[in-house]
Amino acid sequence: MNTMTAQPVAAPPVPRKVAASLSEAKHLSFWAENAAPVGLIVLVVVFSVLSPTFLTVGNITAMLVAAAILVVLAVAQSFVITTGGIDLSISATMTIGAVGLGLAYQAGLPFWPSAIIAILASTVIGVINGLLIAKGKVTDFIATLGTLGVATGAALILTDGKPIAVTSTELLRLTTGKLGFVPYPFVLAAIVGAVAWFVMFRTRYGLHVQAVGGSEEAAVANGVKAPRVRIAVYVWAAALAGLASLLLVARIGAAEPAINTNYLLNSIAAVVLGGVSLTGGRAKIVGPILGALLLTALSNGLTLLAVSQFYQPLAVGLVVVLAALLTRFQKR
Amino acid sequence: MTTTDTAIDTVLTAENITKSFGGVHALKGASITMRRGEVTALIGDNGAGKSTLVRCLSGIHKPDSGTITLDGAVVQIDSPLAAKHHGIETVQQNLALVEDLTVWQNFFVGREITKGVGPFQMLDRKAMRDKASTLLSGLAVNVPPVTSRVRRLSGGQRQAVAIARAAGWGSSIVIMDEPTAALGVQETARVEAVIRRLQDSGVAVLLISHNFDQVLRLAQHVWVMRGGLAVAQRRTSETTGDELVALITGAQAV
Ligand SMILES: Nc1ncnc2c1ncn2[C@@H]1O[C@H](COP(=O)(O)OP(=O)(O)OP(=O)(O)O)[C@@H](O)[C@H]1O
Ligand SMILES: [Mg+2]
């Protein structure tokens, strides 16, 4: 085991840090820690060589719009996974939000009150998840699988299975507006990402999330209220899914009671690509965001290259499995 | 020594504490007392119930029955935070460290130093790093940087972190469950110095140890546990290692 060198006692100064990370590039652990940025760069290079349209402003804007929803969901999922849990209901929760928005708007409410109803509707699912898991001691996997079913069914029942058109000017502005060349949906996603990073790494709550995920027993022995932390993480994830539902409705122009399973799988895939271990305890926010961008770039590039839609899940699946294999070589 | 003297001296009393886990009766009515300004030792064979009693005193387990009295007042220690509010700090036998977190995060998790007000409170990372670093440097021989993750530390370093954490809060009672179990000669000496220092500053220390020399060296009073009960107590000045062994095994009754 000649790769296991002794750790220096004091933190090395910056130049040595750079040198250290360069020499680390020889090790698999470097690639495991940085799978998402490396993968993203590789994809961008490959696709821009293969397709002249890939790096045009128009296509980048399209990609950012397409990535926004997944970025928000991946950030939400990352919080849940950091506690060692998982939220399988996250896309169904988004669907409930969309349906809430559609029904409220249909009932004659203005856009913003409808948007608040959408977020509240989603949050209800999060409260149920949190209570089931933290108080009912139901396994996260089972609890959120259950609410996935309930939310999907409720969305179908409430809408009679039909999409509800939402044609508000606010929604139109959200879809078409831009800050420079960055479309509003991505601006929103970036704000969510920045706030999430701050909460995770600079606040008491974020530290508790990591502590509970690392060792619930030790966290509790030090006075962390683990059930509260767990409930909050599912509630926040659901509220973010509600926020994402606004982007979803804006994108489609209608509130659809669709299942959106792709978003669920991709949100987990983005987190895994971001280098977050499903066992919890090690938080990352930038990684999952880059993972979400990577997955979006992947499907966008394949579409540009006129690769059949059928190959896209295959490509995503391969990338995720590769990333998951790589994470085994992460330094703990 | 008259009873009134003891009553005045006593800082903590645990009476008739019982605790069962399913069919396992870990504590069957254990009673101990701790005197102010003294090191009290708790000894007994593996499985005697020492750690379970410690966990009842530190708010991790809720006793099935029994009372805990602090400074003459009956208290409910129903959570680790409650124990800390009552001034009880504990080094658990399993150390209660989160391996994925850094040393300074482990020092402060559950009672972080923050700056800012209301919803804009953020962690004062520098203050916490500095304080953790100061507390730790007095203790560990091979001081790990406070920014390293606990997962990377040696067993002895981890123990030093847990002890420095418990000793650093200016509490009135510090409980240490086998604090020197994984330590080298130098580190053990340092921990013993910490225990003496705590005692000198008026802290009552409850020391769980299997090392009789250490117990006789540090403690003024010793309680012997057997089968979930505190079966005997001695002043250390009036006992010997041989007698303690006999009490632990039951060869000598009370
Ligand atoms: N959480 C638990 N669940 C079930 N049984 C437990 C639990 N904690 C302790 N026990 C049991 O209670 C009894 C007392 O255990 P305890 O850890 O208090 O012993 P101890 O005196 O600290 O021993 P040691 O010297 O080995 O640390 C043992 O039989 C143990 O198996
Ligand atoms: Mg023990």
Side-chain angles (χ1 to χ4, degrees), chain B residues 160-239:
Chain B
V161 170
I163 292 165
R165 176 173 70 182
W169 295 100
S171 46
S172 55
I173 295 174
V174 172
I175 305 174
M176 298 193 185
D177 197 346
E178 304 195 24
T180 58
L183 297 185
V185 181
Q186 286 190 68
E187 284 86 349
T188 301
R190 288 218 181 196
V191 170
E192 292 188 358
V194 168
I195 293 173
R196 288 211 177 87
R197 207 154 67 217
L198 285 170
Q199 184 190 1
D200 289 345
S201 62
V203 175
V205 178
L206 183 64
L207 171 70
I208 289 81
S209 176
H210 287 289
N211 180 336
F212 297 137
D213 289 338
Q214 185 177 57
V215 166
L216 293 175
R217 206 161 48 230
L218 291 174
Q220 287 76 52
H221 200 91
V222 53
W223 286 91
V224 180
M225 285 193 74
R226 192 166 68 231
L229 288 168
V231 290
Q233 56 173 318
R234 291 285 185 277
R235 300 300 291 174
T236 46
S237 55
E238 295 161 7
T239 187

Side-chain angles (χ1 to χ4, degrees), chain A residues 7 9 198 201-204 207-208 210-211 214-215 217-218 220-225 280-282 331-332, chain B residues 55 60 80-81 84 94 96-98 100-101 105 109-110 112 114 121-123 125 143 145 149 151-152 165:
Chain A
Q7 285 303 308
V9 171
F198 183 85
F201 297 114
R202 289 294 179 272
T203 70
R204 196 175 235 166
L207 183 59
H208 290 186
Q210 297 171 57
S215 164
E217 192 190 349
V220 168
N222 286 294
V224 173
K225 294 181 174 120
R282 292 293 293 275
K331 276 188 282 184
R332 298 266 1 206
Chain B
R55 290 160 85 81
I60 292 179
L81 272 185
K84 291 174 205 297
N94 65 11
L97 297 170
V98 182
D100 288 313
L101 295 183
Q105 287 173 325
V109 69
E112 301 77 4
T114 54
Q121 276 189 1
M122 62 186 286
L123 297 176
R125 291 152 51 89
V143 187
R149 287 187 198 283
R151 189 180 294 283
R152 302 273 190 92
R165 176 173 70 182

Side-chain angles (χ1 to χ4, degrees), chain A residues 52-77:
Chain A
T53 35
F54 186 76
L55 271 192
T56 57
V57 173
N59 192 53
I60 290 176
T61 306
M63 274 196 285
L64 291 180
V65 172
I69 295 172
L70 190 53
V71 167
V72 174
L73 294 182
V75 165
Q77 193 69 270

Side-chain angles (χ1 to χ4, degrees), chain B residues 45-52 54 93 177-178 208 210:
Chain B
D45 266 339
N46 298 128
K50 305 181 295 296
S51 295
T52 307
V54 165
Q93 190 167 13
D177 197 346
E178 304 195 24
I208 289 81
H210 287 289

